[in-house]
Amino acid sequence: MAEAAAVVDPAAGTDAAEPFAVKVTVRGYETDTQGHLNQSVYLQYAEHARWSLLQAGGIRQSAMVDRRVGPVTIETTIRYLRELRAGDEVEVSCAFVWGEGKTFRVEQTVRKTDGTVAAEVSAVGGLLDLTERKLLTDPRAAFRDLADDPSLLGLTED
């Protein structure tokens, strides 16, 4: 159902994983009066792919809660490129792009089975200390510690 591979993209200048992807079929109730996928549902598909990637890497939501941390989205940009209709099958990719500091990027593509890119989603996120209500200084270290397979998140040993 989902595919994943870890490859560092040297052109990015930071650690970046080969996109992990999940398959989704557009459901009729997700469409609007124009017959295409409602704009808010793209965010749900992106969120589903992000949580699926974390789970594939061995990070469970319950483990994050136990450690009193949680992912937060600071900013999201969606570029709608082609419409999706009920019954369309898509693959939603997800790759964490790491730099230095408290935030990271999550780059995602919603692609039809024929290869047509329907949307691009780019988000800035962080990892929140649920007690202090502040972003962790080093989210990479926290994710690496939580994950069974940090390479799926584009995390390599420093």
Side-chain angles (χ1 to χ4, degrees):
M1 183 156 141
E3 303 169 17
V7 177
V8 174
D9 177 5
T14 59
D15 292 341
E18 181 68 27
F20 171 93
V22 295
K23 294 182 189 293
V24 178
T25 300
V26 175
R27 295 163 290 248
Y29 63 83
E30 296 172 325
T31 61
D32 59 21
T33 57
Q34 286 86 280
H36 59 244
L37 187 65
N38 181 279
Q39 53 89 21
S40 67
V41 179
Y42 287 87
L43 291 173
Q44 294 172 8
Y45 287 3
E47 185 79 2
H48 172 62
R50 286 193 295 268
W51 279 107
S52 295
L53 172 53
L54 292 174
Q55 187 171 14
I59 299 175
R60 303 288 181 264
Q61 192 172 19
S62 59
M64 296 178 91
V65 170
D66 289 347
R67 294 204 189 169
R68 304 290 304 143
V69 297
V72 293
T73 301
I74 298 165
E75 174 183 300
T76 302
T77 302
I78 304 173
R79 292 188 66 222
Y80 303 100
L81 302 168
R82 296 288 184 271
E83 68 181 351
L84 293 175
R85 296 184 168 277
D88 283 346
E89 293 182 6
V90 297
E91 189 173 83
V92 184
S93 69
C94 183
F96 282 70
V97 181
W98 303 96
E100 299 299 322
K102 296 179 181 183
T103 62
F104 50 86
R105 285 192 345 263
V106 181
E107 298 295 337
Q108 299 182 263
T109 303
V110 179
R111 187 181 313 273
K112 295 170 77 168
T113 55
D114 68 2
T116 302
V117 175
E120 296 170 338
V121 181
S122 180
V124 176
L127 196 56
L128 187 69
D129 178 314
L130 298 176
T131 302
E132 297 294 322
R133 308 308 289 181
K134 294 181 180 178
L135 291 178
L136 295 183
T137 304
D138 189 358
R140 292 175 4 147
F143 276 121
R144 194 179 289 117
D145 186 49
L146 284 161
D148 294 334
D149 185 356
S151 69
L152 290 179
L153 281 79
L155 294 170
T156 57
E157 295 299 318
D158 286 336

